[in-house]
Amino acid sequence: MIGGSWGVVASDFVQMVVIMAVTVVCAVAALIKIGGPSNLIEQFPADSVMGPNMNYPLLFVAWFIFMFVKQLQNINNMQDSYRFLTAKDSTNARKAALLAFVLMLIGPAIWFMPPWVTAVLYPDAALAHADALGGKAADAVYLVFVERVMPVGMVGLLMSAVFAATMSSMDSGLNRNAGVFVRNFYSPIINKNASEKKLMRVSQGVTMVFGALIIAVALFINSLRGLSLFDAMMYVSTLLQMPILVPLFFGMFIKKTPDWAAWATLAVGMVVSYMVSFVITPDVIANLLGIEGGFTSREASDLTVMNGIIGHLVFTGGFFCLTTKFYKEPQGERKTELNEFWTDVATPVIEEEGQDAVDRQQRSMLGKLILIFGVLVVCMVLIPNPFWGRMAFLFCGGVVLTVGALLLKSAKETKVLNLQTQS
């Protein structure tokens, strides 16, 4: 609320460095504990690659295909493109997208390694915290691994990293939504003559309101004791987020639609979500297909998510495409606005003069902040642990310190290079 977009980006970068170091250490420890990838594959407690409670290979494969389609829309749309606004030009934005692509290829293996090993070594892990979490106890499997395998103190470092990673998504969404509301609703409709200072104060107030709404939603989700965190995320992203993303994704390619197309598509999408959630349920589908005993809980959960994706692609997306039949060439001021918008979208962003000085200042500030975090993490070697445990903390702290030192070095080198160029 106070730091704005720069505060969001800075805090997200710091948490990324910390959680990257912690998860890599946990993944390596898991592989050593199990004796290597071959032992993990041989001992993994599953009769097939599909895992337990899955009887239909077609459903298993189809879920992966449609989840890929959903993620394609989640990442590539007009709403989430805001993340590239933090890059100083189009070239750096492409590099950021490529880096994210590479990290997402190797990330899952790092993140899932401890839970996979836990499934082999600690079959009771899914029930270890049942007293506190109830039906959501399986969500704490990663925590069980850290508690039983990692050195003393790693649980605290992991939890701080998890909270930071959660906040990195939350604060980005808060900052984006507040900006969208103020710039696209408050400023043009409610108060057209508002000063920049006024808009800033309104943005801070809107951030507080949206934050309160998020807390209320979180408390509601927490009250659903039988719904796992993963299933809750899938339901929200598929049944609530997809109706919004369909026009934002399709609109990048289908431009000749009337102005009301996006809102009408959202309304249709909400109807589709309702039908999938309460009318075309897995039990109904099982009866139509004549499946005795119905689907398992896992199959029903996957089928609900997949039905939502199919419904929004076919009906919500189809409706958006049909609105092109009502398209009329805009005239006057509206035509000028649209032409300027698509021209801006197609125009590469070039680094502005003086941007390097701002970048150098940011690298210096981030480097100093990360160095402080690195020193605090290194101090955890003082916790009574075996030698390898102390080395684990030393590695985590060393990674953080190295990143901070490189940022400071980069800021100084750039400054010296600029002075030499001016001379």
Side-chain angles (χ1 to χ4, degrees):
M1 186 179 70
I2 298 174
S5 60
W6 195 89
V8 169
V9 175
S11 63
D12 289 359
F13 183 81
V14 173
Q15 67 83 15
M16 182 274 294
V17 174
V18 175
I19 199 169
M20 176 187 67
V22 173
T23 52
V24 167
V25 167
C26 290
V28 172
L31 275 177
I32 295 175
K33 185 73 173 179
I34 197 66
S38 58
N39 286 343
L40 174 62
I41 295 173
E42 293 174 0
Q43 301 176 34
F44 198 78
D47 297 331
S48 67
V49 70
M50 296 190 300
N53 301 322
M54 180 61 69
N55 302 315
Y56 304 99
L58 179 61
L59 177 60
F60 179 77
V61 175
W63 188 86
F64 277 97
I65 294 174
F66 285 104
M67 282 300 297
F68 175 81
V69 174
K70 184 186 82 69
Q71 285 301 105
L72 184 66
Q73 294 188 41
N74 279 0
I75 297 175
N76 301 283
N77 60 78
M78 283 293 188
Q79 182 183 25
D80 290 285
S81 61
Y82 75 92
R83 68 189 67 186
F84 295 109
L85 295 177
T86 57
K88 64 181 179 180
D89 54 33
S90 295
T91 301
N92 282 276
R94 290 191 187 94
K95 292 179 180 179
L98 180 61
L99 177 62
F101 169 74
V102 173
L103 292 178
M104 286 302 293
L105 287 178
I106 62 177
I110 296 174
W111 304 326
F112 283 98
M113 190 60 66
W116 287 338
V117 171
T118 302
V120 176
L121 300 180
Y122 309 108
D124 64 323
L127 301 175
H129 294 280
D131 294 342
L133 299 177
K136 299 180 182 180
D139 293 337
V141 170
Y142 202 112
L143 174 62
V144 172
F145 172 84
V146 178
E147 288 176 335
R148 299 183 181 182
V149 176
M150 301 306 293
V152 175
M154 189 61 75
V155 169
L157 187 59
L158 173 70
M159 293 307 297
S160 67
V162 169
F163 281 127
T166 303
M167 191 177 71
S168 71
S169 299
M170 183 182 67
D171 60 11
S172 300
L174 276 173
N175 186 260
R176 175 198 65 204
N177 294 336
V180 169
F181 176 83
V182 171
R183 285 295 185 184
N184 295 278
F185 183 76
Y186 179 84
S187 179
I189 297 177
I190 298 178
N191 190 352
K192 296 182 179 180
N193 300 319
S195 64
E196 288 296 319
K197 183 177 181 180
K198 175 68 173 179
L199 294 178
M200 174 61 71
R201 296 301 180 213
V202 173
S203 298
Q204 292 175 328
V206 171
T207 301
M208 289 190 65
V209 173
F210 285 174
L213 292 175
I214 290 176
I215 293 173
V217 172
L219 292 174
F220 171 73
I221 293 177
N222 185 61
S223 66
L224 304 176
R225 306 296 291 182
L227 186 65
S228 71
L229 180 61
F230 180 78
D231 288 340
M233 290 177 60
M234 291 297 99
Y235 290 154
V236 169
S237 63
T238 302
L239 303 178
L240 296 181
Q241 193 176 24
M242 280 285 286
I244 301 174
L245 294 182
V246 166
L248 292 171
F249 176 78
F250 280 63
M252 293 191 298
F253 311 102
I254 305 173
K255 302 176 183 178
K256 294 185 177 182
T257 57
D259 289 346
W260 50 263
W263 288 107
T265 302
L266 176 59
V268 171
M270 297 306 294
V271 174
V272 172
S273 293
Y274 174 82
M275 295 293 291
V276 171
S277 301
F278 302 103
V279 179
I280 311 176
T281 62
D283 291 337
V284 172
I285 296 175
N287 292 332
L288 291 176
L289 297 177
I291 299 177
E292 296 183 4
F295 295 104
T296 65
S297 59
R298 178 186 170 190
E299 291 169 343
S301 175
D302 290 353
L303 192 60
T304 300
V305 173
M306 194 171 70
N307 286 345
I309 298 172
I310 296 173
H312 288 303
L313 285 176
V314 175
F315 296 105
T316 311
F319 176 84
F320 184 82
C321 295
L322 287 176
T323 60
T324 57
K325 301 295 183 181
F326 302 91
Y327 174 76
K328 294 181 180 180
E329 193 68 27
Q331 303 294 329
E333 184 180 354
R334 182 57 176 165
K335 182 177 182 179
T336 303
E337 289 177 349
L338 291 174
N339 289 337
E340 289 179 351
F341 173 78
W342 290 115
T343 299
D344 288 343
V345 171
T347 302
V349 178
I350 302 174
E351 181 181 353
E352 297 180 358
E353 185 177 354
Q355 181 64 40
D356 185 71
V358 177
D359 293 342
R360 187 170 64 252
Q361 181 185 24
Q362 292 179 347
R363 287 197 293 269
S364 177
M365 292 173 64
L366 269 179
K368 293 175 182 178
L369 182 62
I370 291 176
L371 283 178
I372 295 174
F373 272 82
V375 170
L376 294 175
V377 175
V378 169
C379 288
M380 297 183 75
V381 299
L382 301 177
I383 299 175
N385 272 309
F387 177 76
W388 73 270
R390 296 176 187 266
M391 290 301 99
F393 287 117
L394 184 62
F395 173 81
C396 293
V399 169
V400 179
L401 286 173
T402 301
V403 173
L406 290 175
L407 283 172
L408 286 177
K409 182 181 178 182
S410 174
K412 293 179 181 179
E413 286 181 349
T414 305
K415 183 177 181 180
V416 171
L417 181 62
N418 288 341
L419 291 175
Q420 292 175 348
T421 303
Q422 293 172 5
S423 300

